Amino acid sequence: MDPTDPHTAAQALKAGGLVLMPTETVYGLAADAANPRAVAAVYEAKGRPSFNPLISHVADVGMARRIARFDPRAEALTARFWPGPLTLVLPAADTAAVCDLARAGLDTVAVRAPAHPLARALLQAFGGPVVAPSANRSGRPSPTTFAAALEETGYAAAAALDGGPCEVGLESTVVALLDEARLLRPGAVTRAEIEAVIGPLAEAEADARRSPGRLARHYAPDLPVRLDAAAPAAGEAFLAFGPAPETARTFNLSPSGDLKEAAANLFAMLRAADRSGASAIAVAPIPHEGLGEAINDRLKRAAGFVG
Ligand code: TXA
Ligand code: MG
């Protein structure tokens, strides 16, 4: 198929097939949210525990209202950040539109309108909500290029859309608006940006079922990961941040110390370091401000520490 044709890919979704879908954050493995068989195939392709609910992707706020109940906070956040890398967990409106399996049996639904033009074209052509977890196999770094997406779960996809490298490179921010507004997953939209719209965010609850994606070892390369390293030890690859000597196994997330650039490079460089022939991956300290919160969240999980 033509890997830039959203209509063929929408047909594949309608037929119950899976589609590799580029988004501005990471590539997703997409399926018709209403089709439990297709959703089961997503879990199977990823090797994901089936208690982990999926995000429903929509073309616009109108489509979101068919599946989720909006309150004034949801109105304000979507007006400011959609289309874009913000996922809201809301009470489910019509529980049939997103099957039970996609919601992992919860009466809530995670919804986001991605900004990538090819994702938007696919969602418009399909005409309904599409679930899409990151297209990696469970526990591995999310794919941020078409090649990495094909390598992870391409074998299970009926169609694949090539949207080029992902501009953001980190998954969407997940905010639950059930009682208090809670940050379930730090991401591309920063805590400060959200708080500027709806006020202070409560912390995610320790209850893992509220945010099952927050597993201890997640986003992980095969090699061990050592954080806050001033410099690599012998045999280690190095993920640098800021000025650093160039060596064969140094991957500089951002030589100028720019967090946005570092986020965009993070998963691709973790993959490259993993393949460099090193014995482990050392990672330079990343400042914990702005996007740094999300980068450090992913790095902690790549290293196997609970956040
Ligand atoms: O940027 C992204 O969000 C990417 C792209 C493809 O859109 N998708 C993505 O999906 O990261 P996934 O499945 O890897 O992560 C979904 C996160 C998980 O942490 C999951 O636990 C949480 O959203 N989630 C989904 N539904 C939920 C719900 N009803 N309640 C609480 N958390 C939920
Ligand atoms: Mg994921």
Side-chain angles (χ1 to χ4, degrees), residues 172-195:
S172 61
T173 306
V174 181
V175 173
L177 297 176
L178 301 173
D179 36 48
E180 279 180 292
R182 279 178 207 285
L183 183 63
L184 298 188
R185 179 173 74 180
V189 178
T190 65
R191 177 193 294 272
E193 287 173 319
I194 293 164
E195 290 184 336

Side-chain angles (χ1 to χ4, degrees), residues 46 48 133-134 136 142 171 185 218-219:
K46 282 183 62 79
R48 162 177 279 200
S134 48
N136 52 287
S142 302
E171 298 81 357
R185 179 173 74 180
H218 204 87
Y219 311 108

Side-chain angles (χ1 to χ4, degrees), residues 21-30 42-43 46 48 51-57 84-90 102-104 106-114 130-136 142-143 168-176 178 184-185 188 208-215 218-219 298:
M21 172 175 78
T23 82
E24 73 280 23
T25 59
V26 301
Y27 275 77
L29 183 63
V42 170
Y43 285 120
K46 282 183 62 79
R48 162 177 279 200
F51 53 74
N52 200 347
L54 304 177
I55 297 172
S56 290
H57 296 69
L86 175 67
T87 296
L88 298 180
V89 174
L90 298 169
R103 286 180 291 103
L106 301 171
D107 54 8
T108 58
V109 65
V111 59
R112 104 169 175 97
V130 162
V131 288
S134 48
N136 52 287
S142 302
V168 176
L170 275 185
E171 298 81 357
S172 61
T173 306
V174 181
V175 173
L178 301 173
L184 298 188
R185 179 173 74 180
R209 277 169 309 171
R210 285 244 161 192
S211 183
R214 298 177 69 79
L215 294 172
H218 204 87
Y219 311 108
R298 304 306 188 275

Side-chain angles (χ1 to χ4, degrees), residues 231-266:
E236 283 182 333
F238 189 46
L239 252 58
F241 180 78
E246 283 179 35
T247 74
R249 285 184 187 148
T250 297
F251 303 88
N252 203 322
L253 293 168
S254 172
S256 67
D258 175 36
L259 288 167
K260 213 167 164 179
E261 185 182 18
N265 283 330
L266 180 65

